[in-house]
Amino acid sequence: MQFDPALAARAAFERCKSELGSDWSTAVDLEDTFSSNAGEIARHAHLELLALADCHPRARSFQAFCIYITWQQVTEETIARHFQTGINLCEAYLAASDGDLDDDREQITELHESFKAGLGLTEEDEIQIEFRRDTPKGGD
């Protein structure tokens, strides 16, 4: 990875205050719990942050923040569910951007590939590409 997801999370979180309105104080409390704990407490705070993100689907910086902290969850607890959550969040973020450039798009694209690689999905894609290349086409 060409960046530090923890630093990117911090920067994205600092930008999202105006996006969350009255939910900002809740986000601050949950982020503090997530950042200062591990295990079940951090996992619960992560889920609550994701639920808050669901309430603010247009909050781009907050959505980016949630993607970055999902990567942190992956490094804390390497399970398929976190990788899949990361993929889903990245795909929603990237689909909503319509190709617009923003502060996080390049990094989220890189994380998307990392989440997929964690589930072995990039290897499958490479195999499929090779299969299509080796498959005879009409008229061959």
Side-chain angles (χ1 to χ4, degrees), residues 34-87:
F34 176 79
S35 295
S36 60
N37 291 284
E40 187 63 34
I41 294 171
R43 186 178 316 114
H44 180 71
H46 178 249
L47 292 173
E48 291 292 318
L49 285 161
L50 295 180
L52 187 59
D54 285 342
C55 296
H56 297 277
R58 292 191 177 130
R60 299 285 293 161
S61 293
F62 192 65
Q63 298 296 322
F65 166 75
C66 287
I67 293 167
Y68 297 133
I69 66 169
T70 299
W71 183 257
Q72 291 174 268
Q73 270 304 104
V74 162
T75 61
E76 174 74 24
E77 183 181 38
T78 309
I79 60 174
R81 181 181 50 167
H82 295 318
F83 284 101
Q84 189 60 56
T85 297
I87 290 169

Side-chain angles (χ1 to χ4, degrees), residues 117-137:
L119 292 178
L121 298 177
T122 55
E123 292 171 23
E124 182 177 285
D125 291 342
E126 291 170 11
I127 291 169
Q128 288 175 340
I129 290 168
E130 185 174 334
F131 176 78
R132 280 194 302 274
R133 191 176 324 136
D134 292 342
T135 302
K137 311 293 184 277

